[in-house]
């Protein structure tokens, strides 16, 4: 796993998704070296880099040019540029042109979450997996409901991580913002 502090960051781009969350996501995804992964809303590339190290190919999409620039720098820093196709565009219109998806990760979707999930569903290979990383309560509810309506049996895990800060007189716990990982597998 890559340390949070090792990623190149920008105050205009959210991320990287924290290390412990990336670890749980990787574990849940059961990513294999022949998998094609799509990362919608790649932000700083935190998730794209980790999957690129383990999968066959990652397609990383973000509508924010600054996010694309930071992701490009992180891909280079971690030597995975050749495994990743970087697309600066809106997630919904981009995935309409992508077939053959084994793992789809939605890290940002604006108001398009439901439509994005519909398109992913149509493009996902048998046994393909969908993951939504959601901070907003609204995204969690919308994601679960949409996946249910598409015939999935979605799961949600809410992750609360606290890190110990070592002080002279003891260890103080500092909490990260809670985040949910919603997951679903195509049957
Ligand atoms: N997982 C990322 C952080 C994602 S932050 C990391 O580890 O760094 C969410 C990102 O989703 C933002 O960069 C935002 O620009 C992008 N985003 C939001 N809606 C989008 C959409 N409809 N299409 C493409 N990107 C989108």
């Amino acid at each position: 796993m890559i340390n949070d502090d090792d990623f190149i960051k920008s105050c205009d781009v959210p991320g990287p998704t924290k290390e412990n969350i990336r670890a749980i996501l990787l574990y849940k995804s059961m990513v294999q070296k022949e998998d094609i992964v799509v990362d919608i809303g790649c932000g700083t590339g935190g998730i794209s880099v980790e999957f690129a190290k383990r999968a066959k190919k990652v397609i990383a999409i973000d509508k924010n040019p600054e996010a694309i620039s930071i992701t490009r720098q992180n891909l280079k820093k971690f030597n995975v540029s050749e495994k990743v196709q970087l697309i600066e565009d809106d997630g919904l219109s981009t995935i309409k042109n992508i077939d053959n998806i084994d793992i789809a990760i939605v890290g940002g979707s604006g108001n398009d979450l439901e439509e994005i999930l519909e398109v992913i569903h149509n493009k996902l290979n048998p046994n393909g997996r969908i993951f939504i990383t959601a901070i907003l309560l609204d995204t969690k509810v919308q994601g679960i409901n949409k996946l249910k309506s598409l015939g999935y049996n979605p799961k949600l895990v809410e992750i609360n991580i606290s890190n110990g800060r070592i002080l002279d007189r003891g260890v103080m716990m500092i909490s990260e913002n809670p985040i949910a990982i919603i997951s679903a597998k195509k049957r």
Side-chain angles (χ1 to χ4, degrees), residues 12-18 22 39-48 61-64 67 71 89-92 105 107-112 116 133:
D12 298 325
V13 181
T17 302
K18 298 279 195 314
R22 278 182 274 122
D39 183 13
I40 299 164
C42 62
T44 62
I47 289 174
S48 294
I61 306 159
D62 207 295
K63 62 182 182 182
N64 177 2
T71 296
D89 205 344
D90 158 67
L92 180 58
I105 300 150
S109 54
N111 293 322
D112 295 337
I116 286 175
T133 54

Side-chain angles (χ1 to χ4, degrees), residues 58-110:
V58 175
I59 301 164
I61 306 159
D62 207 295
K63 62 182 182 182
N64 177 2
E66 179 73 5
I68 294 295
S69 164
I70 299 290
T71 296
R72 183 173 288 113
Q73 293 172 50
N74 278 316
L75 297 177
K76 198 168 168 207
K77 178 170 183 183
F78 298 108
N79 277 315
V80 288
S81 302
E82 73 289 351
K83 289 253 205 110
V84 182
Q85 183 184 354
L86 202 48
I87 303 176
E88 180 191 323
D89 205 344
D90 158 67
L92 180 58
S93 42
T94 307
I95 49 161
K96 285 181 179 162
N97 301 316
I98 301 172
D99 293 309
N100 193 22
I101 301 171
D102 295 302
I103 297 174
I105 300 150
V106 185
S109 54

